[in-house]
Amino acid sequence: MSIASKYDPAATEAKWYAYWMEHKLFSSKVDPNKEPYVITMPPPNVTGVLHMGHMLNNTIQDVLIRRARMQGKNALWVPGTDHASIATETKVVNLLKEQGIDKKSLTREKFLEHAWEWKEKYGGIILDQLKKLGASCDWDRTAFTMDAGLSDAVISVFVDLHKKGKIYRGIRMVNWDPKGKTALSDDEVITKEIASKLYYVKYQIEGSKDKFLTIATTRPETIMADSAICINPNDPRFTHLKGKKAIVPLINKAIPIIEDEYVDMEFGTGCLKVTPAHDINDYELGLKHKLDVIDILNDDGTLNEKAQILVGEDRFVARKMIAKKLKEVDQLDKIEDYKSNVGHSERTDAVVEPKLSLQWFLKMDEITRPAQKAVMEDIIQLYPPKFKNMYRAWMDNVRDWCISRQLWWGHRIPAYHLPNGEFVVAKTAEEALQLANEQFEGTFTLADLQQDEDVLDTWFSSWLWPISVFDPEVFTTGKPNEELKYYYPTNDLVTAPEILFFWVARMIIAGYEYMGEKPFKNVYLTGIVRDKLGRKMSKSLGNSPDPLDLIAQNGADGVRTGMLFSSPAGNDLPYDDKLVEQGRNFANKIWNAFRLVKGWEIDPSLDGSANASSIEWFENRFNQALVEINEHYEKIRISDALMTTYKLVWGDFCSWYLEMIKPEYQHPIDQETYDKTIALFEDILKILHPFMPFISEELWHQINQRSVEESLILASWPTEKGFDSKIIEEANQVFEVVSQVRNLRASKGMSPKETLDLTINAKNEALYGRFSAVLNKLANLSSLNFGEKVENAISFVVKSDECFIPMGDSINVEEEKENIQKEIDYTKGFLNSVMKKLSNERFVAGAPAQVIEMERKKQADAEAKIKALEESLAKLG
């Protein structure tokens, strides 16, 4: 089979992805004889298209799945999408608007027809894009959170939790999104620091003409909703106001002046306007002092009739107008610039309003306890573990979860309201009717039942994901099917830290509530992909490349490796185009290395003993790297696993091994060396496959024509065989000598073809004897000798061995002395840094034994090198 001169990623990717799909090599079925390895994909929104965060997240998942498959496990990656209530409804509303259709003019059923139409057209785009990346999901299992079975599961869970007394309906202060016109849970609110203003408003004291009380507020538009003025009872400045009333400016309404130690005497003027309907703290204060709750805002953030003035104006427009009106009546003392933390809707970015609203809530006090214990006791491992503290803080301060949303797209709440003002909760209207007549001894008909208008929070469906994708009926039957028994709990969850509470914590809660078991074993939290300025990559900022363009330009393998070159768990990835270019160059390097090997002519009569030491070295080096790679995988250090693989392939295999065994120009190679090299190359392709599935599969089949069952995707992961670290160290010492000789040639402007004599004052001559053929070849030596000193020679030190290259009369002694002194100074600096570590008691006590041993070895090597360099310097006088 001939191999093309250049690697063609596009043709290769299309060919092999179609091949894997055609032969169903991603699929998984229950097999009691195999250990399952399962990942459930964090379902992207149906509004989504592939972005850089998805690229990173899904590449990591695919790497883990492909390796598990090669380890002989029954690997299953379940894909799917999330209906994303708020985001999708917003998209559909905007699309209808472009067509001249107002949502208000449609019935719920008609609107949902448009929503489903939109979902069918756009909802699967991101999954198709993931195929370009090489995602090896079992696509026959693709799930959607509003599929019939999954929807039934959500409704069953609501009914069950309500029956258990864990779901209730009540009026509470909630986060209100005026743009999405829906309540939000606390976790859906993002706090941002924004430049604001502090308005100092003067309230006239009732019964006086010239006595005023000044209050600082960031929200003058809410003064019409004030129910009281509050002072601290311990504040001597306001003792004369106790028991009095103040007049709200512009609407001339008298409100009481109350006392409470809640007031911070140091902030603003030391007085507080109490607006229970528009501030959570004021609401609590209002309950305590039995104050009126006056809600002056409509659901869309405009002022309503209770405001008495500026009715219909937007809240932010009203703010400016109120400030202007206050100034006109001389009741605005001053305005100051102010930085304030303001909550924004995670979905629409609208400024959130605290709003009293009748909503559905899930009690979180008891249901969260097993989920907290699971993470705190490392039953579920978070990577990196620093997120445990964040998780604990959220669990310690968890509030009841507001699960209702004022939308049409989503799972409609299965509560049915009756004419008598009561309601019943049931899976269907028929069940609700039966329940209503039993509970209230009535003779209700279906026509009397009115289903609740609200839908459930999106996360109330996706918190069931690791269970419902396998057995949505388990929430009704209580008996898991064979799939759920086999595949649950899943293994690794790969997701972003920002949804640790939205989704991860809630899946753990649901897992223990319904399965009595964790939903997954490990949670790998990726970082955020950022640009060179440290900004989060996003299309809105225009700082994010199109992932599909990147794949077209650099190949999927290049993009996959580029994304993983510098993305340690939990830390942000500073993206640079050079990373994916490096990935593309790596693919080309592998391709060219294979072309080189396949281009050699073989002569079976040749003796291959000269290459025995080179082969022995690389076999040991491969096994050493394999141990490191496996350890990185076990600790879910994916970037580290890639970097170890990259250095092994690019450095050890391409730069050293192939150069060591490469036959002279137009000379053949012996059969034994060729066969060994191909076998080593196959092992390299195996460890490359999880990162670079396309090029590795292509070359695997270029080596030999193979059947479907022999495809690389199904090949066995290499087995650890142990390694001789002495051979590896000795070879590294020889490579250092070669590098020094090459550097010398370059610094002196000598041709690489010019042979040189090398004499080594060696502690272990046998070491160089074993690798003499390599040393002669790679350093292009005319002779290799051993001795203590060579006159008129340039010297350098490797470990503690002094090496000499005769230069005749051309040697500049002073220049050589200067170079040796520089190297002494550098090595002393290095030794100093090592000694600082070893003198640090905390480091020595906390570091693993092998790390301490490595540092001590560095110390010994540096000390020996300094000694040898100082001797060289002395010889030069």
Side-chain angles (χ1 to χ4, degrees):
M1 191 186 287
S2 63
I3 181 166
S5 60
K6 283 189 176 177
Y7 175 51
D8 182 352
T12 304
E13 289 159 17
K15 176 174 78 174
W16 288 112
Y17 204 85
Y19 182 88
W20 294 326
M21 290 283 282
E22 180 192 347
H23 297 291
K24 296 206 171 286
L25 300 186
F26 305 153
S27 71
S28 170
K29 290 182 173 62
V30 172
D31 183 349
N33 298 316
K34 287 178 84 173
E35 177 191 347
Y37 176 85
V38 188
I39 293 177
T40 51
M41 177 188 289
N45 293 348
V46 285
T47 58
V49 290
L50 198 61
H51 60 58
M52 300 299 279
H54 291 133
M55 296 268 278
L56 173 62
N57 186 300
N58 286 283
T59 295
I60 291 167
Q61 290 176 77
D62 195 46
V63 167
L64 293 171
I65 279 287
R66 286 180 182 272
R67 177 172 177 266
R69 197 180 282 123
M70 295 177 78
Q71 287 178 303
K73 295 174 185 174
N74 190 352
L76 170 61
W77 185 10
V78 182
T81 49
D82 190 287
H83 65 280
S85 291
I86 300 175
T88 306
E89 184 147 327
T90 303
K91 287 266 186 190
V92 176
V93 167
N94 290 339
L95 185 69
L96 290 172
K97 223 179 249 178
E98 288 170 17
Q99 297 169 8
I101 303 169
D102 187 345
K103 178 191 168 186
K104 291 175 190 168
S105 70
L106 299 175
T107 62
R108 185 186 197 113
E109 289 69 28
K110 195 66 187 168
F111 176 80
L112 289 176
E113 280 180 28
H114 286 288
W116 277 106
E117 198 178 290
W118 187 94
K119 183 265 172 190
E120 292 308 316
K121 189 173 180 181
Y122 301 106
I125 287 174
I126 190 166
L127 298 184
D128 288 335
Q129 292 174 330
L130 284 174
K131 292 172 184 175
K132 298 278 188 192
L133 189 66
S136 59
C137 303
D138 187 343
W139 295 106
D140 292 337
R141 292 176 176 269
T142 303
F144 174 52
T145 49
M146 279 176 65
D147 284 342
L150 275 70
S151 293
D152 192 60
V154 172
I155 301 308
S156 297
V157 165
F158 184 97
V159 172
D160 177 65
L161 290 172
H162 183 266
K163 209 175 277 180
K164 290 174 179 172
K166 293 182 179 179
I167 284 180
Y168 66 92
R169 190 170 184 245
I171 295 176
R172 296 285 185 279
M173 182 71 79
V174 297
N175 306 296
W176 186 261
D177 177 348
K179 191 172 179 183
K181 296 182 193 170
T182 181
L184 305 171
S185 69
D186 292 340
D187 304 312
E188 291 170 301
V189 178
I190 297 169
T191 302
K192 301 180 189 178
E193 186 180 73
I194 62 169
S196 184
K197 304 267 184 209
L198 201 55
Y199 299 84
Y200 287 79
V201 182
K202 290 156 68 176
Y203 288 68
Q204 190 175 0
I205 306 301
E206 187 183 42
S208 72
K209 286 187 179 178
D210 55 357
K211 289 183 180 173
F212 291 87
L213 190 60
T214 303
I215 290 168
T217 178
T218 57
R219 306 197 61 198
E221 73 277 11
T222 64
I223 63 171
M224 296 82 77
D226 290 350
S227 294
I229 300 290
C230 193
I231 57 174
N232 191 305
N234 305 312
D235 195 331
R237 294 173 294 176
F238 303 118
T239 49
H240 64 291
L241 297 176
K242 292 181 181 183
K244 295 193 174 181
K245 289 186 175 183
I247 308 294
V248 178
L250 305 181
I251 61 169
N252 298 318
K253 174 188 165 190
I255 54 173
I257 297 172
I258 61 172
E259 303 168 56
D260 199 290
E261 291 187 354
Y262 167 77
V263 177
D264 182 356
M265 292 188 285
E266 303 302 316
F267 177 76
T269 62
C271 300
L272 178 75
K273 70 193 266 317
V274 186
T275 319
H278 299 292
D279 183 278
I280 185 63
N281 297 312
D282 288 11
Y283 176 67
E284 299 296 334
L285 206 56
L287 288 177
K288 184 177 175 183
H289 293 273
K290 298 183 173 60
L291 300 174
D292 292 338
V293 179
I294 308 156
D295 185 350
I296 63 164
L297 290 177
N298 293 313
D299 288 351
D300 63 356
T302 57
L303 272 59
N304 62 29
E305 288 77 9
K306 290 179 185 175
Q308 301 180 43
I309 57 173
L310 304 179
V311 176
E313 291 290 353
D314 177 78
R315 55 191 167 147
F316 297 120
V317 174
R319 179 176 297 177
K320 292 177 181 175
M321 294 174 76
I322 291 287
K324 189 180 175 189
K325 284 177 178 291
L326 288 169
K327 200 168 187 181
E328 286 169 0
V329 296
D330 197 25
Q331 285 190 262
L332 184 63
D333 191 45
K334 61 179 176 176
I335 303 173
E336 290 179 348
D337 289 330
Y338 183 67
K339 294 274 186 194
S340 61
N341 292 316
V342 178
H344 289 69
S345 167
E346 188 244 354
R347 291 292 179 206
T348 67
D349 201 40
V351 172
V352 167
E353 280 292 340
K355 185 175 175 66
L356 270 181
S357 185
L358 182 62
Q359 301 286 346
W360 293 89
F361 295 88
L362 173 62
K363 291 179 183 175
M364 296 288 274
D365 50 355
E366 290 178 10
I367 202 171
T368 56
R369 285 174 194 164
Q372 181 162 17
K373 182 184 177 189
V375 172
M376 289 304 107
E377 295 183 5
D378 291 328
I379 297 163
I380 296 171
Q381 297 265 4
L382 299 189
Y383 292 92
K386 68 179 182 182
F387 285 105
K388 276 175 72 174
N389 290 332
M390 191 190 291
Y391 183 89
R392 183 178 58 221
W394 183 76
M395 284 292 191
D396 286 346
N397 299 289
V398 72
R399 293 184 181 184
D400 286 356
W401 175 11
C402 176
I403 56 175
S404 45
R405 299 290 180 270
Q406 289 63 55
L407 301 164
W408 283 350
W409 174 249
H411 299 101
R412 195 168 175 182
I413 288 175
Y416 296 83
H417 300 276
L418 306 170
N420 64 1
E422 299 288 349
F423 66 84
V424 289
V425 170
K427 282 187 71 173
T428 65
E430 289 73 22
E431 286 178 27
L433 180 62
Q434 187 181 340
L435 193 60
N437 284 325
E438 286 171 8
Q439 207 167 316
F440 301 107
E441 298 176 0
T443 53
F444 300 114
T445 65
L446 281 173
D448 294 322
L449 271 59
Q450 179 61 51
Q451 189 176 351
D452 201 287
E453 291 290 323
D454 290 353
V455 298
L456 286 158
D457 177 13
T458 294
W459 304 103
F460 195 85
S461 60
S462 56
W463 76 324
L464 308 177
W465 189 248
I467 306 169
S468 60
V469 293
F470 298 115
D471 184 7
E473 292 177 11
V474 71
F475 303 102
T476 305
T477 64
K479 293 177 182 176
N481 65 14
E482 290 307 306
E483 286 224 328
L484 188 57
K485 283 180 194 171
Y486 179 71
Y487 289 120
Y488 188 95
T490 66
N491 294 73
D492 298 321
L493 175 73
V494 182
T495 190
E498 58 259 36
I499 57 172
L500 182 58
F501 314 123
F502 280 134
W503 190 47
V504 180
R506 288 169 179 163
M507 279 192 290
I508 299 171
I509 293 166
Y512 280 102
E513 181 70 18
Y514 286 101
M515 296 298 293
E517 169 71 292
K518 61 185 178 287
F520 28 71
K521 293 166 190 165
N522 303 304
V523 180
Y524 179 102
L525 297 156
T526 62
I528 295 168
V529 184
R530 298 190 181 276
D531 65 12
K532 291 177 187 175
L533 301 175
R535 300 173 303 173
K536 182 177 178 178
M537 280 195 158
S538 70
K539 288 196 172 178
S540 60
L541 279 177
N543 65 343
S544 177
D546 185 315
L548 296 178
D549 288 346
L550 282 180
I551 290 173
Q553 291 158 15
N554 302 282
D557 290 332
V559 173
R560 288 166 67 109
T561 48
M563 293 295 288
L564 291 178
F565 274 134
S566 63
S567 55
N571 291 332
D572 293 346
L573 165 64
Y575 176 79
D576 191 315
D577 284 333
K578 287 176 184 168
L579 290 170
V580 290
E581 286 168 17
Q582 185 182 351
R584 181 190 66 204
N585 294 342
F586 188 32
N588 290 335
K589 184 80 171 178
I590 296 161
W591 187 264
N592 290 334
F594 183 71
R595 282 188 70 237
L596 176 73
V597 174
K598 286 296 273 186
W600 291 336
E601 183 187 338
I602 304 163
D603 184 346
S605 67
L606 289 177
D607 175 27
S609 57
N611 289 323
S613 60
S614 301
I615 293 168
E616 184 187 18
W617 161 71
F618 189 75
E619 285 176 333
N620 279 278
R621 175 67 193 107
F622 178 87
N623 288 320
Q624 181 190 45
L626 182 62
V627 170
E628 290 174 27
I629 290 163
N630 285 338
E631 186 182 341
H632 288 317
Y633 272 117
E634 294 315 308
K635 294 181 178 172
I636 318 191
R637 296 193 297 244
I638 308 303
S639 282
D640 294 336
L642 171 61
M643 285 312 298
T644 304
T645 305
Y646 177 81
K647 288 173 183 173
L648 173 77
V649 177
W650 189 296
D652 298 309
F653 185 73
C654 296
S655 299
W656 289 114
Y657 175 75
L658 292 183
E659 290 299 312
M660 289 155 78
I661 62 150
K662 183 170 72 175
E664 295 296 326
Y665 180 63
Q666 290 190 334
H667 283 68
I669 194 166
D670 66 279
Q671 186 75 51
E672 186 182 357
T673 300
Y674 179 81
D675 290 345
K676 274 284 188 185
T677 302
I678 289 295
L680 290 169
F681 200 88
E682 287 188 333
D683 277 342
I684 282 172
L685 291 177
K686 287 178 181 179
I687 62 169
L688 279 170
H689 182 75
F691 299 109
M692 310 178 84
F694 293 109
I695 191 172
S696 58
E697 189 76 81
E698 172 67 24
L699 294 178
W700 182 257
H701 290 264
Q702 290 265 5
I703 290 171
N704 279 312
Q705 287 192 331
R706 288 172 153 119
S707 67
V708 173
E709 293 73 26
E710 294 172 313
S711 295
L712 180 56
I713 191 174
L714 301 176
S716 297
W717 187 254
T719 306
E720 288 183 18
K721 296 173 184 170
F723 59 90
D724 185 340
S725 54
K726 187 182 175 192
I727 291 171
I728 297 167
E729 283 176 26
E730 288 178 351
N732 286 340
Q733 193 163 330
V734 170
F735 297 155
E736 176 66 14
V737 173
V738 172
S739 296
Q740 291 277 16
V741 173
R742 287 173 174 175
N743 290 342
L744 175 69
R745 272 201 180 90
S747 68
K748 300 297 179 187
M750 299 166 71
S751 166
K753 293 178 181 176
E754 186 178 340
T755 58
L756 296 172
D757 294 326
L758 175 65
T759 300
I760 304 176
N761 184 5
K763 303 286 183 291
N764 178 7
E765 290 182 14
L767 182 161
Y768 297 101
R770 186 182 299 123
F771 288 98
S772 60
V774 169
L775 199 48
N776 285 322
K777 180 179 182 180
L778 298 187
N780 194 15
L781 302 179
S782 49
S783 66
L784 173 62
N785 312 292
F786 298 98
E788 289 190 6
K789 191 181 178 191
V790 176
E791 295 297 331
N792 296 324
I794 289 177
S795 68
F796 56 85
V797 173
V798 173
K799 298 286 186 183
S800 58
D801 293 351
E802 192 173 12
C803 304
F804 304 94
I805 294 178
M807 299 297 287
D809 296 331
S810 63
I811 186 168
N812 183 326
V813 175
E814 290 308 314
E815 188 181 310
E816 283 309 303
K817 285 166 70 175
E818 189 181 331
N819 289 337
I820 292 170
Q821 187 59 54
K822 279 180 185 174
E823 193 158 2
I824 290 171
D825 293 342
Y826 172 81
T827 312
K828 280 183 175 178
F830 173 76
L831 176 62
N832 189 38
S833 69
V834 172
M835 295 310 295
K836 273 184 182 173
K837 274 190 187 176
L838 290 172
S839 61
N840 183 331
E841 290 177 12
R842 283 179 65 188
F843 171 75
V844 173
Q850 65 264 32
V851 173
I852 303 295
E853 189 185 332
M854 181 80 72
E855 293 301 318
R856 295 225 159 96
K857 189 172 181 312
K858 287 180 188 174
Q859 176 192 352
D861 286 348
E863 287 170 345
K865 187 171 184 177
I866 289 166
K867 185 182 176 189
L869 285 166
E870 285 175 340
E871 286 173 1
S872 296
L873 193 62
K875 286 172 189 170
L876 288 170

